[in-house]
Amino acid sequence: MKSLQNSWRRLENLFNPAFGQALNPWYHLGAIIYFLFWVVVVSGIYLYIFYRTGVNEAYQTVESLTHDQPYVGGVMRSLHRYASDGIVVAMLLHMLRSFIYGRFHGFRWFSWVTGVLLIWLVYISGINGYWMVWDRLAQFVAVATTEWFDWLPLFSQPLARNFLAQGNVSDRFINMLSFIHIFIPLLMLLFMWVHTKRMNNAETYPPQSLAAGTLLALLALSLVKPALSHAQADLALVPAALRLDWFYLAPYPLIYAWSPGAVWALVGGFTMLLLAVPWLLKPRGRVPVAEVHPDNCNGCERCFKDCPYSAILMRSRQDGRPYALLPVVDPKLCASCGICVGACPSSMPFRRHGMVSGIELPDKLLLALRADTDHALDGLRGKARVMVFGCDCAYDVRALQSEEVAALSLPCIGMLPPAFIDYALRDSRADGVLIAGCRECDCQYRLGIRWTEQRLAREREPRLRQRVPAQRVETCWAGPPDEKLARAALSALQARIAQLPRAAFEDDGELELEHR
Amino acid sequence: MKPLNYLGQGVAYALFAVVLGYFSTSPEYEHMPPDQALVKLSFSHAAQRKGACRERTDEELAKLKPNMRIRKDCPRERANVVVELEMDGKQMYHVELPPPGLAHDGAASIYRRMPVPAGTHRFVVRLKDKVDGDFDFVHEENVDLVAGRALVIDFKADVPGAPGFMFKK
């Protein structure tokens, strides 16, 4: 699995030279789906203004939109089609990527399962959209769908009998289709909200330039290859050659090549398998979740605000301490990433007594991290001594270790309290600090990099202290296979600090909690 | 951002558009070979009841609640519907349809699609809807089936004056 993950990361890295890490579309697939959804909604509203819900009118109005106003209606229709297709592409890649990176088990099961249900809604909505044109393709899809459903022992009469002859289809039927085509996307939107409900600061809009590029690509495609209808539906005829939209209709030929039952087995079996993935591929054992230490907590809510999965709730405090709130960790939602530890103002390595934070990972105590940091710093020799703090999910920084370089890896770089940078540089124990994590915008725990960058930029609590010289701190966002990137960042930092005087700053004594 | 970056992005977006544009209509799917037509045999028909109806006696009626006092007493269970379709003297399809429902009293339904070579064919279709005896309804017809067209063979028992099979082209 690791090698598959690294191969996939290399594929994604191909986009970095052109887009940069911040705009790499692979890291924003979920947000791109949201964006495409809104393109479909806006273009759909325009089309619906002109659409008439009659057997003949449905086809005629779509034809009129396509040919009588090609640069508005035609483009809108094509955008509607291609953005819908784009949703399928982005959705399947999003799912495949989540699977390859193992982002489906434990606290993530909810997003995975709701994502699988969303696939059905996307397909129902897209296939239903093809019916609405009421051309030969719609006829084929309608007949094939009903023949497929008739395999299920659910209906007293075969549904396909509704499409036996031309007169069987009424205006009311087309009206019902248009109602479904509004209702299902609304349901989809609700599920998209549910899908991201457990995410704190969910990205529901891609970076502007990515959105603009995607829209331009769809517009260009709409102008070069406008979406066109087949001939009008005629139930006395059997559609022979069809220009299928394979993104939505790929299973349909299988209904006739195999059998309706076989397609149900394929689709139903695949769905059940996907739904079971979080439990079938569940890793053995579980990392202990974060624990709150009320004696060291002042209820500042930073852990609550920074938790990427809303696993921390603030409850009113009953222990007589002069603080209103106390965080409570929901073990089912906790990712054990330690970002809350990095957010806690009590995570202060300078404290000489009682080095316990307000919230801790039981198997990665800050006391141990400080001891490891001390041990690592004590062993440093040379002119450009660097302390590297890395992330277990990113490039393994321990491979950088040498006489001049010490490295420690954390579950997520977001776990590192900025005070540890200060701590490593005080008394010239190190000449520089390298902060390494997953690729930008691709943090395994979503927000570790964002919060770290904001903390280092002194835009987010806990801020890096002003006395830490910016020249002595470098960040590097590199995935497991990105050794070159990590070594380049290290070399750049060492070259820079070699030019600086040795002494960074002196320790100014024990720091205690601001609120005590 | 350098021009080369924009060029790279342009290539990626173009690739995305090409994939969408191609697979949204291609490759073409041939649903039915051009020299074939389609026969659809489909109907919904309630067969005759398995047992004969009888008249209730006055005593029997008196024992029933007032709203249930119906003179005729018919068994609910219906017979199977047997259907056969022949084309040019060869049997294409034969099926015995049991009546649906817990009491086996529903209308049996069928929908069957059969691609056939285009051209003139002689179709014979038979239906039996009682327990014993021969077929109750038989229909024979020469049909010139044009390629790409559908022939629907329906059955209606409640058409006044002409109950039986209907061939719709």
Side-chain angles (χ1 to χ4, degrees):
Chain A
M1 202 63 182
K2 285 279 176 203
S3 61
L4 177 62
Q5 287 175 356
N6 283 342
S7 304
W8 190 264
R9 280 195 178 96
R10 285 193 188 94
L11 169 75
E12 293 180 356
N13 282 354
L14 292 176
F15 287 71
N16 280 335
F19 288 87
Q21 284 195 14
L23 294 178
N24 189 326
W26 291 99
Y27 310 158
H28 302 280
L29 285 172
I32 289 172
I33 294 170
Y34 261 100
F35 174 69
L36 291 172
F37 177 81
W38 292 120
V39 173
V40 172
V41 168
V42 171
S43 54
I45 288 171
Y46 182 84
L47 297 177
Y48 199 71
I49 293 169
F50 298 91
Y51 186 74
R52 295 286 172 269
T53 54
V55 177
N56 292 317
E57 291 87 342
Y59 181 79
Q60 284 157 5
T61 48
V62 174
E63 280 296 275
S64 166
L65 274 161
T66 310
H67 300 293
D68 298 343
Q69 44 165 306
Y71 291 102
V72 189
V75 168
M76 283 296 193
R77 181 189 178 190
S78 304
L79 269 181
H80 197 67
R81 152 91 67 97
Y82 293 130
S84 306
D85 288 341
I87 287 178
V88 172
V89 174
M91 180 179 71
L92 297 180
L93 291 176
H94 183 52
M95 185 183 70
L96 185 63
R97 190 170 186 271
S98 300
F99 178 78
I100 288 173
Y101 289 152
R103 295 171 185 171
F104 51 77
H105 54 76
F107 64 96
R108 285 185 167 110
W109 76 266
F110 183 80
S111 302
W112 177 268
V113 168
T114 50
V116 174
L117 299 178
L118 263 170
I119 296 174
W120 272 89
L121 290 179
V122 167
Y123 271 89
I124 292 170
S125 184
I127 291 167
N128 165 245
Y130 274 104
W131 290 41
M132 290 180 69
V133 182
W134 205 237
D135 61 352
R136 298 273 162 86
L137 181 60
Q139 176 187 338
F140 163 74
V141 175
V143 172
T145 305
T146 49
E147 286 177 354
W148 188 47
F149 269 79
D150 281 337
W151 184 86
L152 300 171
L154 295 177
F155 309 101
S156 58
Q157 283 195 29
L159 294 176
R161 280 182 56 75
N162 293 309
F163 302 101
L164 278 182
Q166 194 68 345
N168 289 19
V169 178
S170 67
D171 292 352
R172 192 172 286 183
F173 169 73
I174 304 287
N175 208 2
M176 184 191 73
L177 291 181
S178 66
F179 171 75
I180 294 172
H181 204 56
I182 294 168
F183 174 73
I184 298 291
L186 283 174
L187 199 62
M188 236 168 84
L189 186 61
L190 176 72
F191 263 74
M192 284 160 76
W193 173 73
V194 171
H195 180 62
T196 48
K197 190 178 160 289
R198 289 188 176 182
M199 311 272 178
N200 184 9
N201 284 274
E203 188 193 16
T204 54
Y205 195 83
Q208 274 187 356
S209 59
L210 203 53
T214 307
L215 186 61
L216 278 175
L218 294 179
L219 267 173
L221 177 60
S222 302
L223 291 169
V224 172
K225 192 185 176 198
L228 299 172
S229 305
H230 289 65
Q232 188 168 1
D234 182 350
L235 292 169
L237 300 175
V238 184
L242 292 160
R243 300 186 302 276
L244 283 196
D245 181 339
W246 292 91
F247 295 106
Y248 281 95
L249 307 175
Y252 277 79
L254 296 178
I255 294 172
Y256 301 101
W258 299 350
S259 72
V263 176
W264 273 117
L266 175 76
V267 173
F270 189 58
T271 304
M272 297 312 281
L273 190 67
L274 284 179
L275 287 173
V277 156
W279 295 275
L280 288 178
L281 302 179
K282 189 179 176 182
R284 283 181 195 166
R286 183 161 181 201
V287 184
V289 300
E291 275 179 8
V292 176
H293 296 273
D295 288 348
N296 294 292
C297 174
N298 63 6
C300 68
E301 300 185 38
R302 289 183 196 167
C303 56
F304 163 72
K305 287 174 186 158
D306 282 10
C307 177
Y309 301 104
S310 305
I312 297 173
L313 293 174
M314 299 305 293
R315 296 265 162 82
S316 67
R317 196 158 181 158
Q318 309 288 339
D319 60 359
R321 307 260 299 171
Y323 307 114
L325 300 169
L326 185 71
V328 176
V329 177
D330 184 342
K332 293 197 293 295
L333 301 182
C334 180
S336 307
C337 61
I339 289 177
C340 50
V341 181
C344 182
S346 297
S347 302
M348 188 59 72
F350 295 102
R351 294 165 67 189
R352 292 194 183 111
H353 311 293
M355 172 66 195
V356 178
S357 184
I359 190 163
E360 293 254 25
L361 290 183
D363 64 334
K364 294 271 177 190
L365 295 173
L366 275 183
L367 192 63
L369 179 63
R370 187 176 69 175
D372 290 346
T373 307
D374 284 335
H375 180 70
L377 289 169
D378 290 345
L380 284 176
R381 303 282 180 276
K383 289 181 178 175
R385 298 160 306 154
V386 175
M387 180 72 222
V388 185
F389 291 104
C391 158
D392 293 344
C393 309
Y395 173 70
D396 186 356
V397 292
R398 286 165 297 200
L400 299 173
Q401 288 183 117
S402 67
E403 198 176 47
E404 271 192 321
V405 180
L408 286 176
S409 188
L410 306 172
C412 172
I413 195 59
M415 182 186 169
L416 185 77
F420 268 78
I421 300 171
D422 195 353
Y423 185 75
L425 291 172
R426 65 157 193 170
D427 296 337
S428 298
R429 296 170 81 199
D431 301 306
V433 173
L434 179 65
I435 305 295
C438 303
R439 294 167 301 179
E440 198 177 354
C441 301
D442 192 32
C443 174
Q444 176 75 5
Y445 299 109
R446 300 184 51 246
L447 302 172
I449 293 173
R450 200 197 299 181
W451 294 163
T452 301
E453 283 183 324
Q454 291 180 9
R455 290 168 190 166
L456 297 188
R458 300 169 180 114
E459 293 164 356
R460 188 178 194 85
E461 297 287 359
R463 298 159 203 263
L464 181 64
R465 293 184 73 193
Q466 289 291 347
R467 72 174 185 180
V468 176
Q471 312 96 294
R472 292 186 184 273
V473 182
E474 181 68 58
T475 55
C476 167
W477 311 128
D482 305 333
E483 184 176 357
K484 272 187 191 171
L485 211 61
R487 290 203 179 277
L490 177 64
S491 301
L493 176 63
Q494 286 186 306
R496 199 164 68 223
I497 56 181
Q499 310 296 319
L500 300 173
R502 166 56 60 91
F505 48 80
E506 298 301 320
D507 185 10
D508 55 2
E510 183 178 6
L511 298 176
E512 280 297 340
L513 280 175
E514 290 163 18
H515 303 284
R516 284 168 189 262
Chain B
M1 189 146 315
K2 297 170 188 170
L4 264 180
N5 294 106
Y6 286 116
L7 185 67
Q9 289 187 17
V11 171
Y13 285 124
L15 188 70
F16 176 60
V18 165
V19 169
L20 289 189
Y22 181 75
F23 287 108
S24 69
T25 54
S26 308
E28 200 171 73
Y29 165 59
E30 189 182 271
H31 179 47
M32 209 171 66
D35 59 346
Q36 292 216 320
L38 191 67
V39 174
K40 289 183 180 181
L41 173 66
S42 179
F43 60 81
S44 185
H45 173 57
Q48 294 179 33
R49 296 182 193 277
K50 270 190 168 176
C53 296
R54 69 179 186 92
E55 300 269 314
R56 287 193 174 99
T57 63
D58 291 341
E59 290 77 31
E60 283 175 322
L61 280 177
K63 284 179 191 168
L64 295 172
K65 288 184 178 172
N67 63 319
M68 305 288 282
R69 285 173 191 162
I70 301 164
R71 178 68 68 182
K72 215 169 195 181
D73 177 22
C74 296
R76 288 184 68 175
E77 196 172 348
R78 294 180 184 275
N80 292 348
V81 175
V82 183
V83 192
E84 276 183 10
L85 175 64
E86 271 181 28
M87 186 179 83
D88 302 328
K90 283 175 75 176
Q91 190 173 82
M92 283 179 80
Y93 190 57
H94 171 96
V95 69
E96 194 164 336
L97 305 165
L102 292 173
H104 305 291
D105 60 344
S109 297
I110 185 170
Y111 174 89
R112 178 87 187 177
R113 65 191 301 281
M114 291 164 274
V116 296
T120 304
H121 300 286
R122 179 155 191 81
F123 290 96
V124 182
V125 57
R126 305 180 186 92
L127 182 143
K128 187 175 90 169
D129 66 352
K130 59 182 189 295
V131 177
D132 302 313
D134 211 349
F135 286 98
D136 310 280
F137 300 92
V138 179
H139 185 97
E140 295 184 36
E141 190 169 328
N142 286 327
V143 181
D144 184 19
L145 274 177
V146 178
R149 289 196 77 88
L151 165 68
V152 177
I153 303 175
D154 203 347
F155 177 85
K156 291 219 186 306
D158 55 358
V159 179
F165 284 102
M166 290 172 288
F167 281 35
K168 301 174 194 166
K169 283 194 286 179

